[in-house]
Amino acid sequence: MDELNVKKIDVLVVGAGFAGVYLTYQLRENGLSVQTIEAGEDVGGTWYWNRYPGARCDVPSVEYSYSFSKELEQEWTWSEKYSAQPEILKYIQHVADRFDVKKNILFNTRVVKAEYLEEKKIWSVHTDDGKIFEASYFILATGSLSVPRLPDFKNMNDFKGEFYHTGDWPVTPVDFKGKRVAVIGTGSSGIQSIPVIAQDAEKLTVFIKDSNYTLPAGNQLLTPPFTKAVKENYSRIRKKARETWGGILFNSNPTVESVTEALTENKKEPDRTLGSFSKEEVHQMMEEKYLGTGLGFVTNFPDIQYDENTDARLREYLNERIRKLVKDPKKAAALIPKSKHYADRRPVIDTNYYQTFNRENVDIVDVNQEPITEFYENGIRTTERDYEYDVIVCATGFDAMTGAINKIDIAGKQGEILKEKWSQGPRTYLGLMSNNFPNMFMIAGAGSPSVFCNMVLAIEQHVEWVSQCIQYMKAANKLTIEPELAEEDKWVQHCIDVAKPLFVSRGDSWYVGANVPGKPRVFMAYIAGMPNYIAKCEEVVKNNYAGFILQ
Ligand code: FAD
C-alpha cells in the first residue's frame, strides 16, 4: 500500500460502546489524534446489537452511566430502575453527540488485522474494506460480550423461517404476533426475552438444557424525588460505589430513603453465613427483605460464593420457589438449574420469568430428555418428533471475554501472534496490556474486574488509567510501554488463585469458556473486587509504572 494512503494518527481505538465512546472523547481532549473504528452503524456496542425484546441492564441505571461529566449527570434523567435497551442506546447516542465524538468514528467497518512495526514503533491496523492506519497506540475496546455464539446443530441453514440471535438483533423490530416461536437458551438474554416474546407469540416453545437461577428484579419507574436525591448526591454516590466490591452502591428499592441509607450506612457484612440460618429464616428473609431488590443479597452474603452449606440452604429455597411458581411439575423440574451451585453461573434478575411458563401458549422441551437432532426446513427436529416454527431465536450467549480480540489477527514484537500466546487462556497484566504487545491496551477485558462489576464504572477506571499513562509517557519522553513478562505471569496466577475457592471458577459457564467448544477452560477475570483492583492500579502508577517496561 502506498504510504500516502495510510492514515497516520496517535491512537486507534477499536469499538464504540461505552468504552470506545469515552476513550475517543478523553484522548481527544488530551490533544491526541484519535481514529475509532466500529463494526456497527452507530455507537452503543452491547446496546446497539442486543435489541431483543426485554433487553435491559441489571445494574441500577443511575449507576450504570458515566460519571466523568457532572453536567451530563445532571441533564440526563433515567426513567426506570433498570432501563431497557432503547433508553440505554439513546443515552450513549446522546453522550456521543453531546461530546461530538462521532466525527472521530468510522462506522460499518471492522478491524481485521493489526501488526506492530518494531522499527517504527507503531501499529499498522487494517480494516475489512482495505483501509490502513498507522497509530502509536492501539486500544481494544471491543467488548467482553460482543461475539454472539450460535449453536452448531445439524442443517441449521435448512430452516426457512425467521432466525435470530439475541446478540445480533435486527434494527427493525421483530413482529411475533400470530407466530409459532422457539427460543433456544435460558441464560440472561433468554430469561429477559421469553416473558416478552410470550405476550405476542401464538405459541412459544422454550428449549432448555440448563438454566441460570433468577430472582425478581422489582423493576419500577423512578420517581422525581428519588432522581433529585441521586442528582444532588451524585459525586458521593460514585465515590462510594467505587468502594464496593462490584462497583454498585444501591441494592434496595429506589426511594429517597434508600439514597440516604446507602450514603450513611457503613455496610457491614452480616456476622453469620446464610447457611447458618434455618430453612424458615432464609425463606422469611428472602421473601421480606431481598425479593425484588435485585442481587443485593449476593453482596450481603459473600459466603454464597464459596460455602457449601450456604449454597445448599439457598438452593433449597430457590428450587422450592420455582416449584411453587410454576404450576406444571414437569416444567418446574426442567426449570430447576442443573448446576451444582447457585453461584456457578451468572445470577440473573427477571420480570415474570417463571410465571410465564403458566401461560397456555408457552411450552418447554427439556433437551436432556429429548435432545435436538437437527434443524429442518420447517423447524426443529428432536429425538422424539418434529416441531414447526415461524421464528427461531437463539439466546445462546457469547464467545465471552476473549472472542472479539481473538477475531483480529494481532501480531506483536518478533511477529508474536496474540491468539497463539492466548491459546491456553488470556494472559495480561492487570487486564490492561500483554507482554510483547507494546502500546496495545485493552479495556475492561480478561484479567480485570470486568464482567464482575458495574461495567461502566470499570470502563471509566480503565479509560482514565490508559489516558493518564499516555500523558505520563509524553511527559517522560517514552515511546513504548509493555508489561514485564514476570509481572504478567504473576498476575495471571493471582487471578486464578483468587478465584480458586469460589464456585464460579469451577462451574460450567462462559466465565471459564465452558460454553464454547474447544475454548481453553480458564477463569478469565479478576474477582477480588474493584477496591483491591483500583488500589493495585494506583500503586503501579505511584511507583512510576512498576511492572511495566517503558522505553
Ligand atoms: P461493547 O458494548 O460490547 O462494545 C464493543 C464494540 O466493539 C461493539 O460495538 C463491536 O461492534 C465493536 N467491535 C468489536 N470488534 C470489532 C472489530 N474487530 N472491528 C470493529 N468494531 C469491533 N454490564 C453491566 O455492568 N450491567 C448490566 O446490566 C449489563 N447488562 C448487559 C446486558 C446484555 C444483554 C449484555 C450483552 C451485556 C450486558 N452488560 C452489562 C455487559 C456490557 O457488555 C457492558 O456493560 C458494556 O456495555 C460494555 O461496553 P464496551 O464498550 O466495553 O463493549
Side-chain angles (χ1 to χ4, degrees):
M1 162 85 59
D2 176 345
E3 274 279 304
L4 287 174
N5 288 325
V6 176
K7 188 172 171 195
K8 298 188 177 170
I9 63 255
D10 294 323
V11 191
L12 190 129
V13 174
V14 194
F18 268 108
V21 165
Y22 183 34
L23 266 171
T24 308
Y25 167 68
Q26 178 72 39
L27 297 176
R28 204 185 60 197
E29 285 297 286
N30 291 351
L32 298 163
S33 56
V34 185
Q35 177 65 65
T36 298
I37 298 182
E38 166 57 54
E41 63 179 16
D42 200 351
V43 296
T46 287
W47 306 102
Y48 169 84
W49 297 106
N50 290 262
R51 295 166 189 258
Y52 60 84
R56 60 178 71 247
C57 57
D58 56 13
V59 167
S61 324
V62 294
E63 299 199 72
Y64 188 69
S65 54
Y66 292 116
S67 69
F68 70 84
S69 160
K70 302 301 156 214
E71 295 77 21
L72 173 66
E73 277 180 343
Q74 292 304 316
E75 73 199 16
W76 186 267
T77 298
W78 292 102
S79 67
E80 289 179 89
K81 179 180 171 190
Y82 302 112
S83 291
Q85 172 272 333
E87 189 172 1
I88 305 174
L89 180 60
K90 218 165 124 197
Y91 172 75
I92 310 183
Q93 287 167 335
H94 167 75
V95 175
D97 289 338
R98 192 191 189 288
F99 297 99
D100 200 13
V101 165
K102 286 188 186 170
K103 68 180 181 202
N104 295 79
I105 307 175
L106 195 55
F107 292 105
N108 295 310
T109 308
R110 189 169 278 282
V111 168
V112 289
K113 182 177 152 188
E115 189 184 0
Y116 185 65
L117 307 179
E118 273 185 84
E119 273 164 32
K120 292 180 165 177
K121 295 189 182 359
I122 50 149
W123 282 93
S124 168
V125 181
H126 300 234
T127 64
D128 57 353
D129 59 357
K131 293 191 182 67
I132 300 183
F133 298 85
E134 285 188 354
S136 305
Y137 298 95
F138 174 50
I139 311 187
L140 292 154
T142 43
S144 305
L145 300 165
S146 56
V147 177
R149 202 196 72 80
L150 281 173
D152 52 1
F153 297 115
K154 239 170 81 186
N155 302 328
M156 284 180 63
N157 288 335
D158 288 0
F159 179 61
K160 296 278 184 289
E162 297 168 62
F163 179 81
Y164 306 102
H165 187 287
T166 46
D168 188 10
W169 203 260
V171 172
T172 314
V174 177
D175 184 5
F176 290 102
K177 284 208 182 77
K179 293 181 183 164
R180 297 159 303 171
V181 184
V183 172
I184 301 176
T186 45
S188 308
S189 304
I191 287 171
Q192 287 189 335
S193 58
I194 286 163
V196 187
I197 295 175
Q199 286 170 26
D200 281 347
E202 183 188 300
K203 190 158 177 26
L204 169 64
T205 317
V206 180
F207 287 79
I208 297 188
K209 187 168 178 208
D210 198 356
S211 285
N212 294 40
Y213 277 103
T214 174
L215 284 166
N219 190 30
Q220 53 192 280
L221 292 176
L222 295 177
T223 62
F226 171 79
T227 302
K228 184 166 173 278
V230 169
K231 289 190 180 182
E232 281 170 1
N233 291 287
Y234 242 141
S235 45
R236 287 169 66 211
I237 292 169
R238 303 295 197 181
K239 184 171 174 293
K240 271 207 131 194
R242 278 188 170 219
E243 291 162 8
T244 67
W245 179 87
I248 305 164
L249 186 62
F250 296 136
N251 55 24
S252 52
N253 281 325
T255 59
V256 175
E257 295 72 39
S258 73
V259 178
T260 321
E261 239 171 65
L263 286 170
T264 47
E265 198 184 327
N266 265 330
K267 282 238 168 73
K268 273 197 270 133
E269 284 169 11
D271 42 18
R272 291 178 64 182
T273 62
L274 188 70
S276 70
F277 289 89
S278 70
K279 181 179 166 184
E280 290 71 30
E281 283 171 327
V282 168
H283 184 97
Q284 193 182 357
M285 202 158 49
M286 291 299 293
E287 300 281 324
E288 288 176 7
K289 189 160 177 211
Y290 290 118
L291 280 197
T293 61
L295 293 168
F297 76 99
V298 182
T299 33
N300 275 9
F301 292 103
D303 43 302
I304 288 173
Q305 307 284 351
Y306 56 81
D307 185 295
E308 292 285 354
N309 281 337
T310 291
D311 180 72
R313 182 71 0 123
L314 178 62
R315 282 190 305 114
E316 183 181 37
Y317 164 74
L318 295 171
N319 293 347
E320 242 172 51
R321 183 171 177 270
I322 297 172
R323 285 189 211 102
K324 213 183 287 168
L325 285 175
V326 182
K327 292 192 181 114
D328 175 346
K330 260 196 176 159
K331 286 184 182 173
L335 284 161
I336 290 177
K338 320 268 174 308
S339 50
K340 283 204 196 101
H341 308 101
Y342 170 80
D344 276 359
R345 292 172 166 215
R346 187 171 191 273
V348 181
I349 52 176
D350 70 88
T351 303
N352 287 330
Y353 178 62
Y354 293 121
Q355 294 83 340
T356 297
F357 292 92
N358 296 329
R359 294 176 65 111
E360 283 196 352
N361 67 333
V362 179
D363 230 325
I364 280 178
V365 172
D366 182 345
V367 301
N368 300 294
Q369 317 283 335
E370 191 184 333
I372 294 175
T373 52
E374 62 181 337
F375 281 25
Y376 72 106
E377 207 179 321
N378 299 322
I380 294 174
R381 184 162 290 142
T382 69
T383 46
E384 304 299 311
R385 51 170 281 206
D386 290 357
Y387 293 88
E388 287 192 5
Y389 296 111
D390 303 302
V391 187
I392 297 177
V393 173
C394 284
T396 42
F398 301 90
D399 181 354
M401 312 291 286
T402 52
I405 293 179
N406 279 339
K407 272 184 102 169
I408 305 172
D409 287 325
I410 301 176
K413 275 166 41 185
Q414 296 104 40
E416 180 166 20
I417 307 293
L418 188 72
K419 219 178 310 183
E420 287 170 12
K421 176 176 176 181
W422 286 12
S423 63
Q424 298 309 307
R427 304 197 72 79
T428 71
Y429 182 42
L430 298 172
L432 283 161
M433 299 195 87
S434 197
N435 172 265
N436 240 4
F437 295 82
N439 294 9
M440 182 185 91
F441 295 95
M442 289 160 273
I443 305 297
S448 81
S450 180
V451 290
F452 283 94
C453 67
N454 171 1
M455 282 201 72
V456 182
L457 184 148
I459 284 167
E460 284 193 312
Q461 188 265 345
H462 261 194
V463 169
E464 283 153 20
W465 194 96
V466 171
S467 142
Q468 195 185 350
C469 173
I470 295 177
Q471 279 180 302
Y472 173 88
M473 288 172 68
K474 259 179 132 182
N477 261 328
K478 302 289 182 192
L479 293 179
T480 62
I481 180 168
E482 65 177 301
E484 289 168 14
L485 186 58
E487 283 305 316
E488 178 174 298
D489 289 345
K490 266 201 285 187
W491 184 254
V492 171
Q493 193 54 46
H494 177 58
C495 290
I496 292 170
D497 292 344
V498 166
K500 212 174 244 165
L502 310 181
F503 297 135
V504 72
S505 69
R506 303 190 288 275
D508 284 333
S509 73
W510 55 261
Y511 293 134
V512 297
N515 64 328
V516 179
K519 197 165 171 172
R521 203 186 161 104
V522 184
F523 184 75
M524 292 183 278
Y526 174 71
I527 198 170
M530 257 344 254
N532 285 329
Y533 181 76
I534 293 174
K536 174 72 184 167
C537 288
E538 286 176 354
E539 180 195 304
V540 164
V541 173
K542 214 169 94 201
N543 294 317
N544 297 321
Y545 295 86
F548 287 92
I549 308 159
L550 283 123
Q551 282 174 336

